[in-house]
Amino acid sequence: MEENIVKAIQDEYPDDFAWCYGCGRLNEKGHHIRTGWQGEHTVTIYTPEPEHTALPGFVYGGVIASLIDCHGTGSAALALHRKNGHEPGDGAEPPRFVTASLKVDFLKPTPHGVPLKAVGTVEEIHPKKWKVDVEVVANGTVCARGEVVAVVMPGTFLKKD
């Protein structure tokens, strides 16, 4: 899998919102999950690190859940950004989302040492609430499915000094 996300929504988040362990570009120890469009679906390509092991040869389930979680909130941000007439890279600040609900089904053991591809299908269920169905694929096999309900981040999430 030689895919690459060129314009990710997470690259557009302002610095105050770029610290998430899963997708924050400023969190040097984080996963740096990046989500972009591929047709009408959203895509993230992520290769787990050696320490993300459950058993030798297999990815730890918490990493898969993190991938689904951040892919889901990033997908919701992409969808609302597009609905508002924007795309990543056009200079407009995108909306930020937080997770209201996360459901993960592990279908098959996820092999370690290969890129994982998260593919999202986004559905608006309220002006401030979006549902994202996610499949995590490794070597062409769907290993996990998830559902993220994401809500527009409340203004109270910013730390006030």
Side-chain angles (χ1 to χ4, degrees), residues 9 13 35-37 39-42 71-88 94-97 120-127 129-132 150 152:
I9 195 72
Y13 294 160
T35 308
W37 287 110
E40 292 303 308
H41 295 280
T42 57
H71 179 75
T73 57
S75 296
L78 277 168
L80 182 54
H81 202 45
R82 180 172 275 180
K83 181 181 177 186
N84 291 339
H86 302 288
E87 295 293 335
R96 277 301 317 255
F97 281 78
T121 304
V122 187
E123 172 188 357
E124 183 176 9
I125 54 179
H126 178 276
K129 188 183 284 186
W130 297 69
K131 181 177 81 118
V132 183
V152 174

Side-chain angles (χ1 to χ4, degrees), residues 22 28-29 44 55 58 62 64 75 78 94 99 113 124 134:
E28 65 184 58
K29 296 191 182 218
T44 295
L55 297 168
F58 299 99
I64 296 165
S75 296
L78 277 168
T99 306
E124 183 176 9
V134 181

Side-chain angles (χ1 to χ4, degrees), residues 43-61:
V43 174
T44 295
I45 307 298
Y46 179 74
T47 302
E49 298 294 331
E51 62 270 19
H52 299 150
T53 299
L55 297 168
F58 299 99
V59 178
Y60 168 60

